[in-house]
PDB file of all heavy atoms in Angstrom:
ATOM      1  N   ASP A1088     179.974  52.082  61.723  1.00 94.00           N
ATOM      2  CA  ASP A1088     179.328  52.415  63.022  1.00 94.00           C
ATOM      3  C   ASP A1088     177.817  52.279  62.873  1.00 94.00           C
ATOM      4  O   ASP A1088     177.407  51.996  61.802  1.00 94.00           O
ATOM      5  CB  ASP A1088     179.714  53.807  63.449  1.00 94.00           C
ATOM      6  CG  ASP A1088     179.237  54.991  62.522  1.00 94.00           C
ATOM      7  OD1 ASP A1088     178.494  54.696  61.630  1.00 94.00           O
ATOM      8  OD2 ASP A1088     179.582  56.160  62.786  1.00 94.00           O
ATOM      9  N   SER A1089     177.037  52.438  63.937  1.00 90.00           N
ATOM     10  CA  SER A1089     175.686  52.133  63.840  1.00 90.00           C
ATOM     11  C   SER A1089     174.750  53.332  63.355  1.00 90.00           C
ATOM     12  O   SER A1089     173.592  53.112  63.012  1.00 90.00           O
ATOM     13  CB  SER A1089     175.166  51.735  65.228  1.00 90.00           C
ATOM     14  OG  SER A1089     175.258  52.884  66.109  1.00 90.00           O
ATOM     15  N   GLY A1090     175.392  54.522  63.366  1.00 80.00           N
ATOM     16  CA  GLY A1090     174.561  55.667  63.088  1.00 80.00           C
ATOM     17  C   GLY A1090     174.005  56.376  64.309  1.00 80.00           C
ATOM     18  O   GLY A1090     173.571  57.490  64.178  1.00 80.00           O
ATOM     19  N   GLY A1091     174.012  55.785  65.474  1.00 73.00           N
ATOM     20  CA  GLY A1091     173.430  56.390  66.627  1.00 73.00           C
ATOM     21  C   GLY A1091     174.190  57.572  67.186  1.00 73.00           C
ATOM     22  O   GLY A1091     173.586  58.582  67.604  1.00 73.00           O
ATOM     23  N   PHE A1092     175.503  57.587  67.072  1.00 71.00           N
ATOM     24  CA  PHE A1092     176.374  58.667  67.525  1.00 71.00           C
ATOM     25  C   PHE A1092     175.970  59.984  66.686  1.00 71.00           C
ATOM     26  O   PHE A1092     175.774  61.055  67.278  1.00 71.00           O
ATOM     27  CB  PHE A1092     177.800  58.400  67.467  1.00 71.00           C
ATOM     28  CG  PHE A1092     178.728  59.561  67.847  1.00 71.00           C
ATOM     29  CD1 PHE A1092     178.847  59.795  69.110  1.00 71.00           C
ATOM     30  CD2 PHE A1092     179.316  60.309  66.890  1.00 71.00           C
ATOM     31  CE1 PHE A1092     179.677  60.836  69.666  1.00 71.00           C
ATOM     32  CE2 PHE A1092     180.051  61.491  67.341  1.00 71.00           C
ATOM     33  CZ  PHE A1092     180.259  61.703  68.705  1.00 71.00           C
ATOM     34  N   GLN A1093     175.782  59.769  65.417  1.00 67.00           N
ATOM     35  CA  GLN A1093     175.354  61.006  64.646  1.00 67.00           C
ATOM     36  C   GLN A1093     173.982  61.518  65.010  1.00 67.00           C
ATOM     37  O   GLN A1093     173.744  62.754  64.926  1.00 67.00           O
ATOM     38  CB  GLN A1093     175.408  60.661  63.082  1.00 67.00           C
ATOM     39  CG  GLN A1093     176.834  60.611  62.452  1.00 67.00           C
ATOM     40  CD  GLN A1093     177.692  59.476  63.121  1.00 67.00           C
ATOM     41  OE1 GLN A1093     177.179  58.442  63.380  1.00 67.00           O
ATOM     42  NE2 GLN A1093     178.975  59.738  63.177  1.00 67.00           N
ATOM     43  N   MET A1094     173.112  60.578  65.345  1.00 64.00           N
ATOM     44  CA  MET A1094     171.829  61.055  65.720  1.00 64.00           C
ATOM     45  C   MET A1094     171.919  62.003  66.867  1.00 64.00           C
ATOM     46  O   MET A1094     171.221  63.064  67.002  1.00 64.00           O
ATOM     47  CB  MET A1094     170.874  59.915  66.173  1.00 64.00           C
ATOM     48  CG  MET A1094     170.695  58.718  65.187  1.00 64.00           C
ATOM     49  SD  MET A1094     169.665  59.301  63.842  1.00 64.00           S
ATOM     50  CE  MET A1094     170.891  59.616  62.541  1.00 64.00           C
ATOM     51  N   VAL A1095     172.761  61.780  67.784  1.00 62.00           N
ATOM     52  CA  VAL A1095     172.955  62.598  69.022  1.00 62.00           C
ATOM     53  C   VAL A1095     173.804  63.825  68.741  1.00 62.00           C
ATOM     54  O   VAL A1095     173.534  64.882  69.246  1.00 62.00           O
ATOM     55  CB  VAL A1095     173.395  61.740  70.189  1.00 62.00           C
ATOM     56  CG1 VAL A1095     173.634  62.617  71.356  1.00 62.00           C
ATOM     57  CG2 VAL A1095     172.431  60.606  70.552  1.00 62.00           C
ATOM     58  N   SER A1096     174.948  63.619  68.113  1.00 63.00           N
ATOM     59  CA  SER A1096     175.906  64.643  67.985  1.00 63.00           C
ATOM     60  C   SER A1096     175.597  65.650  66.872  1.00 63.00           C
ATOM     61  O   SER A1096     175.936  66.844  66.926  1.00 63.00           O
ATOM     62  CB  SER A1096     177.283  64.052  67.642  1.00 63.00           C
ATOM     63  OG  SER A1096     177.242  63.438  66.403  1.00 63.00           O
ATOM     64  N   LEU A1097     174.815  65.229  65.805  1.00 60.00           N
ATOM     65  CA  LEU A1097     174.582  66.200  64.742  1.00 60.00           C
ATOM     66  C   LEU A1097     173.227  66.759  64.645  1.00 60.00           C
ATOM     67  O   LEU A1097     172.958  67.828  64.212  1.00 60.00           O
ATOM     68  CB  LEU A1097     174.816  65.447  63.362  1.00 60.00           C
ATOM     69  CG  LEU A1097     176.306  64.885  63.074  1.00 60.00           C
ATOM     70  CD1 LEU A1097     176.313  64.269  61.830  1.00 60.00           C
ATOM     71  CD2 LEU A1097     177.247  66.015  63.177  1.00 60.00           C
ATOM     72  N   LEU A1098     172.299  66.136  65.320  1.00 59.00           N
ATOM     73  CA  LEU A1098     170.856  66.500  65.226  1.00 59.00           C
ATOM     74  C   LEU A1098     170.312  67.027  66.501  1.00 59.00           C
ATOM     75  O   LEU A1098     170.364  66.353  67.498  1.00 59.00           O
ATOM     76  CB  LEU A1098     169.970  65.305  64.726  1.00 59.00           C
ATOM     77  CG  LEU A1098     170.400  64.651  63.398  1.00 59.00           C
ATOM     78  CD1 LEU A1098     169.639  63.437  63.120  1.00 59.00           C
ATOM     79  CD2 LEU A1098     170.326  65.676  62.257  1.00 59.00           C
ATOM     80  N   LYS A1099     169.929  68.221  66.435  1.00 64.00           N
ATOM     81  CA  LYS A1099     169.451  68.906  67.668  1.00 64.00           C
ATOM     82  C   LYS A1099     168.062  68.329  68.248  1.00 64.00           C
ATOM     83  O   LYS A1099     167.846  68.337  69.313  1.00 64.00           O
ATOM     84  CB  LYS A1099     169.272  70.412  67.457  1.00 64.00           C
ATOM     85  CG  LYS A1099     170.699  71.067  67.174  1.00 64.00           C
ATOM     86  CD  LYS A1099     170.424  72.596  66.917  1.00 64.00           C
ATOM     87  CE  LYS A1099     171.694  73.294  66.601  1.00 64.00           C
ATOM     88  NZ  LYS A1099     171.529  74.742  66.346  1.00 64.00           N
ATOM     89  N   LEU A1100     167.273  67.897  67.233  1.00 69.00           N
ATOM     90  CA  LEU A1100     165.955  67.468  67.658  1.00 69.00           C
ATOM     91  C   LEU A1100     165.799  65.856  67.643  1.00 69.00           C
ATOM     92  O   LEU A1100     164.919  65.420  67.153  1.00 69.00           O
ATOM     93  CB  LEU A1100     164.931  68.115  66.679  1.00 69.00           C
ATOM     94  CG  LEU A1100     164.968  69.608  66.654  1.00 69.00           C
ATOM     95  CD1 LEU A1100     163.939  70.057  65.615  1.00 69.00           C
ATOM     96  CD2 LEU A1100     164.451  70.108  68.014  1.00 69.00           C
ATOM     97  N   ALA A1101     166.772  65.291  68.179  1.00 79.00           N
ATOM     98  CA  ALA A1101     166.775  63.818  68.406  1.00 79.00           C
ATOM     99  C   ALA A1101     166.279  63.415  69.778  1.00 79.00           C
ATOM    100  O   ALA A1101     166.802  64.002  70.743  1.00 79.00           O
ATOM    101  CB  ALA A1101     168.122  63.126  68.051  1.00 79.00           C
ATOM    102  N   THR A1102     165.390  62.503  69.849  1.00 85.00           N
ATOM    103  CA  THR A1102     164.926  61.958  71.109  1.00 85.00           C
ATOM    104  C   THR A1102     165.035  60.449  71.174  1.00 85.00           C
ATOM    105  O   THR A1102     164.871  59.845  70.072  1.00 85.00           O
ATOM    106  CB  THR A1102     163.504  62.330  71.400  1.00 85.00           C
ATOM    107  OG1 THR A1102     162.581  61.873  70.317  1.00 85.00           O
ATOM    108  CG2 THR A1102     163.313  63.816  71.553  1.00 85.00           C
ATOM    109  N   ILE A1103     165.476  59.963  72.230  1.00 89.00           N
ATOM    110  CA  ILE A1103     165.650  58.459  72.314  1.00 89.00           C
ATOM    111  C   ILE A1103     164.609  57.805  73.252  1.00 89.00           C
ATOM    112  O   ILE A1103     164.275  58.241  74.242  1.00 89.00           O
ATOM    113  CB  ILE A1103     167.116  58.211  72.996  1.00 89.00           C
ATOM    114  CG1 ILE A1103     168.152  58.724  72.105  1.00 89.00           C
ATOM    115  CG2 ILE A1103     167.251  56.623  73.237  1.00 89.00           C
ATOM    116  CD1 ILE A1103     169.543  58.594  72.693  1.00 89.00           C
ATOM    117  N   THR A1104     163.989  56.774  72.621  1.00 93.00           N
ATOM    118  CA  THR A1104     162.941  56.036  73.298  1.00 93.00           C
ATOM    119  C   THR A1104     163.402  54.551  73.323  1.00 93.00           C
ATOM    120  O   THR A1104     164.375  54.225  72.654  1.00 93.00           O
ATOM    121  CB  THR A1104     161.514  56.160  72.662  1.00 93.00           C
ATOM    122  OG1 THR A1104     161.676  55.640  71.263  1.00 93.00           O
ATOM    123  CG2 THR A1104     161.114  57.660  72.530  1.00 93.00           C
ATOM    124  N   GLU A1105     162.609  53.617  73.907  1.00 97.00           N
ATOM    125  CA  GLU A1105     162.959  52.299  73.846  1.00 97.00           C
ATOM    126  C   GLU A1105     162.920  51.675  72.446  1.00 97.00           C
ATOM    127  O   GLU A1105     163.700  50.776  72.120  1.00 97.00           O
ATOM    128  CB  GLU A1105     162.033  51.426  74.827  1.00 97.00           C
ATOM    129  CG  GLU A1105     162.599  50.017  74.989  1.00 97.00           C
ATOM    130  CD  GLU A1105     163.844  49.901  75.681  1.00 97.00           C
ATOM    131  OE1 GLU A1105     164.270  50.812  76.548  1.00 97.00           O
ATOM    132  OE2 GLU A1105     164.509  48.956  75.440  1.00 97.00           O
ATOM    133  N   GLU A1106     162.114  52.255  71.595  1.00 97.00           N
ATOM    134  CA  GLU A1106     162.028  51.799  70.228  1.00 97.00           C
ATOM    135  C   GLU A1106     163.220  52.074  69.448  1.00 97.00           C
ATOM    136  O   GLU A1106     163.709  51.408  68.650  1.00 97.00           O
ATOM    137  CB  GLU A1106     160.726  52.362  69.600  1.00 97.00           C
ATOM    138  CG  GLU A1106     160.463  51.957  68.235  1.00 97.00           C
ATOM    139  CD  GLU A1106     159.265  52.610  67.608  1.00 97.00           C
ATOM    140  OE1 GLU A1106     158.700  53.452  68.124  1.00 97.00           O
ATOM    141  OE2 GLU A1106     158.996  52.255  66.338  1.00 97.00           O
ATOM    142  N   GLY A1107     163.788  53.337  69.724  1.00 95.00           N
ATOM    143  CA  GLY A1107     164.934  53.702  68.898  1.00 95.00           C
ATOM    144  C   GLY A1107     165.185  55.216  69.054  1.00 95.00           C
ATOM    145  O   GLY A1107     164.651  55.755  69.950  1.00 95.00           O
ATOM    146  N   VAL A1108     165.821  55.780  68.005  1.00 90.00           N
ATOM    147  CA  VAL A1108     166.146  57.335  68.017  1.00 90.00           C
ATOM    148  C   VAL A1108     165.177  57.987  67.033  1.00 90.00           C
ATOM    149  O   VAL A1108     165.277  57.716  65.822  1.00 90.00           O
ATOM    150  CB  VAL A1108     167.572  57.500  67.572  1.00 90.00           C
ATOM    151  CG1 VAL A1108     168.014  58.993  67.810  1.00 90.00           C
ATOM    152  CG2 VAL A1108     168.553  56.679  68.507  1.00 90.00           C
ATOM    153  N   LYS A1109     164.384  58.958  67.590  1.00 87.00           N
ATOM    154  CA  LYS A1109     163.570  59.727  66.748  1.00 87.00           C
ATOM    155  C   LYS A1109     164.208  60.959  66.366  1.00 87.00           C
ATOM    156  O   LYS A1109     164.868  61.617  67.166  1.00 87.00           O
ATOM    157  CB  LYS A1109     162.258  60.024  67.378  1.00 87.00           C
ATOM    158  CG  LYS A1109     161.341  58.816  67.681  1.00 87.00           C
ATOM    159  CD  LYS A1109     160.082  59.227  68.458  1.00 87.00           C
ATOM    160  CE  LYS A1109     159.188  58.007  68.825  1.00 87.00           C
ATOM    161  NZ  LYS A1109     157.931  58.440  69.484  1.00 87.00           N
ATOM    162  N   PHE A1110     164.155  61.356  65.061  1.00 80.00           N
ATOM    163  CA  PHE A1110     164.763  62.555  64.639  1.00 80.00           C
ATOM    164  C   PHE A1110     164.025  63.165  63.412  1.00 80.00           C
ATOM    165  O   PHE A1110     163.301  62.444  62.868  1.00 80.00           O
ATOM    166  CB  PHE A1110     166.292  62.401  64.262  1.00 80.00           C
ATOM    167  CG  PHE A1110     166.571  61.409  63.203  1.00 80.00           C
ATOM    168  CD1 PHE A1110     166.880  61.856  62.021  1.00 80.00           C
ATOM    169  CD2 PHE A1110     166.541  60.056  63.378  1.00 80.00           C
ATOM    170  CE1 PHE A1110     167.150  61.048  60.912  1.00 80.00           C
ATOM    171  CE2 PHE A1110     166.852  59.260  62.361  1.00 80.00           C
ATOM    172  CZ  PHE A1110     167.046  59.583  61.169  1.00 80.00           C
ATOM    173  N   LEU A1111     164.428  64.403  63.136  1.00 75.00           N
ATOM    174  CA  LEU A1111     163.811  65.034  61.894  1.00 75.00           C
ATOM    175  C   LEU A1111     164.834  64.967  60.822  1.00 75.00           C
ATOM    176  O   LEU A1111     165.985  65.182  60.876  1.00 75.00           O
ATOM    177  CB  LEU A1111     163.554  66.454  62.278  1.00 75.00           C
ATOM    178  CG  LEU A1111     162.538  66.743  63.365  1.00 75.00           C
ATOM    179  CD1 LEU A1111     162.242  68.234  63.442  1.00 75.00           C
ATOM    180  CD2 LEU A1111     161.200  66.015  63.059  1.00 75.00           C
ATOM    181  N   SER A1112     164.307  64.541  59.656  1.00 71.00           N
ATOM    182  CA  SER A1112     165.158  64.490  58.410  1.00 71.00           C
ATOM    183  C   SER A1112     165.909  65.777  58.153  1.00 71.00           C
ATOM    184  O   SER A1112     165.362  66.903  58.216  1.00 71.00           O
ATOM    185  CB  SER A1112     164.354  64.148  57.181  1.00 71.00           C
ATOM    186  OG  SER A1112     165.065  64.254  55.941  1.00 71.00           O
ATOM    187  N   PRO A1113     167.315  65.658  57.951  1.00 68.00           N
ATOM    188  CA  PRO A1113     167.982  66.895  57.585  1.00 68.00           C
ATOM    189  C   PRO A1113     167.678  67.446  56.223  1.00 68.00           C
ATOM    190  O   PRO A1113     167.962  68.536  55.883  1.00 68.00           O
ATOM    191  CB  PRO A1113     169.468  66.457  57.646  1.00 68.00           C
ATOM    192  CG  PRO A1113     169.427  64.936  57.405  1.00 68.00           C
ATOM    193  CD  PRO A1113     168.177  64.475  57.987  1.00 68.00           C
ATOM    194  N   HIS A1114     166.928  66.655  55.432  1.00 68.00           N
ATOM    195  CA  HIS A1114     166.556  67.062  54.136  1.00 68.00           C
ATOM    196  C   HIS A1114     165.286  67.861  54.057  1.00 68.00           C
ATOM    197  O   HIS A1114     165.171  68.926  53.527  1.00 68.00           O
ATOM    198  CB  HIS A1114     166.494  65.896  53.067  1.00 68.00           C
ATOM    199  CG  HIS A1114     167.913  65.108  52.934  1.00 68.00           C
ATOM    200  ND1 HIS A1114     168.910  65.751  52.522  1.00 68.00           N
ATOM    201  CD2 HIS A1114     168.179  63.901  53.245  1.00 68.00           C
ATOM    202  CE1 HIS A1114     169.952  64.948  52.398  1.00 68.00           C
ATOM    203  NE2 HIS A1114     169.549  63.738  52.862  1.00 68.00           N
ATOM    204  N   ASP A1115     164.226  67.210  54.596  1.00 74.00           N
ATOM    205  CA  ASP A1115     162.958  67.903  54.547  1.00 74.00           C
ATOM    206  C   ASP A1115     162.192  68.117  55.805  1.00 74.00           C
ATOM    207  O   ASP A1115     161.061  68.550  55.856  1.00 74.00           O
ATOM    208  CB  ASP A1115     162.056  67.105  53.515  1.00 74.00           C
ATOM    209  CG  ASP A1115     161.782  65.651  54.015  1.00 74.00           C
ATOM    210  OD1 ASP A1115     162.097  65.370  55.185  1.00 74.00           O
ATOM    211  OD2 ASP A1115     161.284  64.945  53.183  1.00 74.00           O
ATOM    212  N   GLY A1116     162.870  67.786  56.938  1.00 74.00           N
ATOM    213  CA  GLY A1116     162.326  67.942  58.212  1.00 74.00           C
ATOM    214  C   GLY A1116     161.233  66.948  58.672  1.00 74.00           C
ATOM    215  O   GLY A1116     160.608  67.114  59.697  1.00 74.00           O
ATOM    216  N   SER A1117     161.030  65.946  57.789  1.00 77.00           N
ATOM    217  CA  SER A1117     160.071  64.919  58.202  1.00 77.00           C
ATOM    218  C   SER A1117     160.581  64.071  59.352  1.00 77.00           C
ATOM    219  O   SER A1117     161.711  63.795  59.459  1.00 77.00           O
ATOM    220  CB  SER A1117     159.784  64.063  56.871  1.00 77.00           C
ATOM    221  OG  SER A1117     160.917  63.401  56.423  1.00 77.00           O
ATOM    222  N   PRO A1118     159.594  63.458  60.181  1.00 81.00           N
ATOM    223  CA  PRO A1118     159.999  62.565  61.263  1.00 81.00           C
ATOM    224  C   PRO A1118     160.625  61.300  60.734  1.00 81.00           C
ATOM    225  O   PRO A1118     160.019  60.751  59.775  1.00 81.00           O
ATOM    226  CB  PRO A1118     158.673  62.386  61.990  1.00 81.00           C
ATOM    227  CG  PRO A1118     157.745  63.424  61.524  1.00 81.00           C
ATOM    228  CD  PRO A1118     158.120  63.781  60.148  1.00 81.00           C
ATOM    229  N   MET A1119     161.657  60.843  61.341  1.00 81.00           N
ATOM    230  CA  MET A1119     162.312  59.569  61.040  1.00 81.00           C
ATOM    231  C   MET A1119     162.670  58.854  62.366  1.00 81.00           C
ATOM    232  O   MET A1119     162.684  59.341  63.403  1.00 81.00           O
ATOM    233  CB  MET A1119     163.567  59.785  60.178  1.00 81.00           C
ATOM    234  CG  MET A1119     163.270  60.556  58.879  1.00 81.00           C
ATOM    235  SD  MET A1119     164.807  60.829  57.924  1.00 81.00           S
ATOM    236  CE  MET A1119     165.152  59.168  57.379  1.00 81.00           C
ATOM    237  N   MET A1120     162.894  57.593  62.153  1.00 89.00           N
ATOM    238  CA  MET A1120     163.279  56.677  63.304  1.00 89.00           C
ATOM    239  C   MET A1120     164.426  55.729  62.923  1.00 89.00           C
ATOM    240  O   MET A1120     164.276  55.108  61.888  1.00 89.00           O
ATOM    241  CB  MET A1120     162.001  55.938  63.755  1.00 89.00           C
ATOM    242  CG  MET A1120     162.243  54.788  64.750  1.00 89.00           C
ATOM    243  SD  MET A1120     162.623  55.347  66.424  1.00 89.00           S
ATOM    244  CE  MET A1120     160.999  55.802  66.959  1.00 89.00           C
ATOM    245  N   LEU A1121     165.437  55.718  63.692  1.00 91.00           N
ATOM    246  CA  LEU A1121     166.480  54.728  63.598  1.00 91.00           C
ATOM    247  C   LEU A1121     166.322  53.705  64.749  1.00 91.00           C
ATOM    248  O   LEU A1121     166.444  54.129  65.895  1.00 91.00           O
ATOM    249  CB  LEU A1121     167.877  55.366  63.666  1.00 91.00           C
ATOM    250  CG  LEU A1121     169.022  54.434  63.513  1.00 91.00           C
ATOM    251  CD1 LEU A1121     169.122  53.858  62.003  1.00 91.00           C
ATOM    252  CD2 LEU A1121     170.422  55.105  63.817  1.00 91.00           C
ATOM    253  N   THR A1122     165.966  52.526  64.411  1.00 96.00           N
ATOM    254  CA  THR A1122     165.806  51.418  65.482  1.00 96.00           C
ATOM    255  C   THR A1122     166.983  50.356  65.341  1.00 96.00           C
ATOM    256  O   THR A1122     167.831  50.594  64.371  1.00 96.00           O
ATOM    257  CB  THR A1122     164.579  50.667  65.190  1.00 96.00           C
ATOM    258  OG1 THR A1122     164.721  49.918  63.907  1.00 96.00           O
ATOM    259  CG2 THR A1122     163.311  51.497  65.132  1.00 96.00           C
ATOM    260  N   PRO A1123     167.272  49.725  66.367  1.00 97.00           N
ATOM    261  CA  PRO A1123     168.262  48.682  66.231  1.00 97.00           C
ATOM    262  C   PRO A1123     168.263  47.821  65.051  1.00 97.00           C
ATOM    263  O   PRO A1123     169.256  47.515  64.372  1.00 97.00           O
ATOM    264  CB  PRO A1123     168.185  47.904  67.564  1.00 97.00           C
ATOM    265  CG  PRO A1123     167.666  48.860  68.557  1.00 97.00           C
ATOM    266  CD  PRO A1123     166.703  49.657  67.734  1.00 97.00           C
ATOM    267  N   GLU A1124     167.003  47.454  64.652  1.00 98.00           N
ATOM    268  CA  GLU A1124     166.784  46.591  63.543  1.00 98.00           C
ATOM    269  C   GLU A1124     167.197  47.391  62.182  1.00 98.00           C
ATOM    270  O   GLU A1124     167.770  46.789  61.370  1.00 98.00           O
ATOM    271  CB  GLU A1124     165.342  46.183  63.500  1.00 98.00           C
ATOM    272  CG  GLU A1124     164.874  45.325  64.566  1.00 98.00           C
ATOM    273  CD  GLU A1124     164.709  45.907  65.875  1.00 98.00           C
ATOM    274  OE1 GLU A1124     164.576  47.080  65.936  1.00 98.00           O
ATOM    275  OE2 GLU A1124     164.500  45.201  66.939  1.00 98.00           O
ATOM    276  N   HIS A1125     166.649  48.602  62.065  1.00 96.00           N
ATOM    277  CA  HIS A1125     166.962  49.399  60.875  1.00 96.00           C
ATOM    278  C   HIS A1125     168.525  49.642  60.704  1.00 96.00           C
ATOM    279  O   HIS A1125     169.018  49.500  59.636  1.00 96.00           O
ATOM    280  CB  HIS A1125     166.212  50.712  60.880  1.00 96.00           C
ATOM    281  CG  HIS A1125     166.414  51.435  59.664  1.00 96.00           C
ATOM    282  ND1 HIS A1125     166.266  50.965  58.376  1.00 96.00           N
ATOM    283  CD2 HIS A1125     166.601  52.827  59.373  1.00 96.00           C
ATOM    284  CE1 HIS A1125     166.470  51.889  57.374  1.00 96.00           C
ATOM    285  NE2 HIS A1125     166.648  53.002  58.084  1.00 96.00           N
ATOM    286  N   SER A1126     169.168  49.927  61.866  1.00 96.00           N
ATOM    287  CA  SER A1126     170.618  50.181  61.814  1.00 96.00           C
ATOM    288  C   SER A1126     171.335  48.955  61.249  1.00 96.00           C
ATOM    289  O   SER A1126     172.283  48.964  60.460  1.00 96.00           O
ATOM    290  CB  SER A1126     171.120  50.417  63.217  1.00 96.00           C
ATOM    291  OG  SER A1126     172.531  50.517  63.241  1.00 96.00           O
ATOM    292  N   ILE A1127     170.903  47.729  61.791  1.00 98.00           N
ATOM    293  CA  ILE A1127     171.615  46.494  61.272  1.00 98.00           C
ATOM    294  C   ILE A1127     171.225  46.224  59.812  1.00 98.00           C
ATOM    295  O   ILE A1127     172.185  45.852  59.057  1.00 98.00           O
ATOM    296  CB  ILE A1127     171.193  45.294  62.185  1.00 98.00           C
ATOM    297  CG1 ILE A1127     171.717  45.527  63.671  1.00 98.00           C
ATOM    298  CG2 ILE A1127     171.659  43.914  61.642  1.00 98.00           C
ATOM    299  CD1 ILE A1127     173.244  45.624  63.671  1.00 98.00           C
ATOM    300  N   HIS A1128     169.972  46.386  59.479  1.00 98.00           N
ATOM    301  CA  HIS A1128     169.625  46.165  58.080  1.00 98.00           C
ATOM    302  C   HIS A1128     170.336  47.160  57.092  1.00 98.00           C
ATOM    303  O   HIS A1128     170.764  46.791  56.013  1.00 98.00           O
ATOM    304  CB  HIS A1128     168.160  46.374  57.841  1.00 98.00           C
ATOM    305  CG  HIS A1128     167.291  45.181  58.552  1.00 98.00           C
ATOM    306  ND1 HIS A1128     166.045  45.380  58.925  1.00 98.00           N
ATOM    307  CD2 HIS A1128     167.755  44.069  59.153  1.00 98.00           C
ATOM    308  CE1 HIS A1128     165.646  44.246  59.644  1.00 98.00           C
ATOM    309  NE2 HIS A1128     166.692  43.436  59.686  1.00 98.00           N
ATOM    310  N   LEU A1129     170.584  48.413  57.559  1.00 97.00           N
ATOM    311  CA  LEU A1129     171.373  49.314  56.715  1.00 97.00           C
ATOM    312  C   LEU A1129     172.780  48.752  56.620  1.00 97.00           C
ATOM    313  O   LEU A1129     173.411  48.853  55.515  1.00 97.00           O
ATOM    314  CB  LEU A1129     171.448  50.689  57.389  1.00 97.00           C
ATOM    315  CG  LEU A1129     170.242  51.620  57.118  1.00 97.00           C
ATOM    316  CD1 LEU A1129     170.352  52.838  58.008  1.00 97.00           C
ATOM    317  CD2 LEU A1129     170.174  51.897  55.590  1.00 97.00           C
TER     318      LEU A1129
END
């Protein structure tokens, strides 16, 4: 899967913009971004 579903279903602090899905790392709380490009490269 792309990872997008987990961004929304597991993470309370996820926001979606045209760039991608912004969320806070479950490890250290740092800001992270999942874009279409990053999802495919993963």
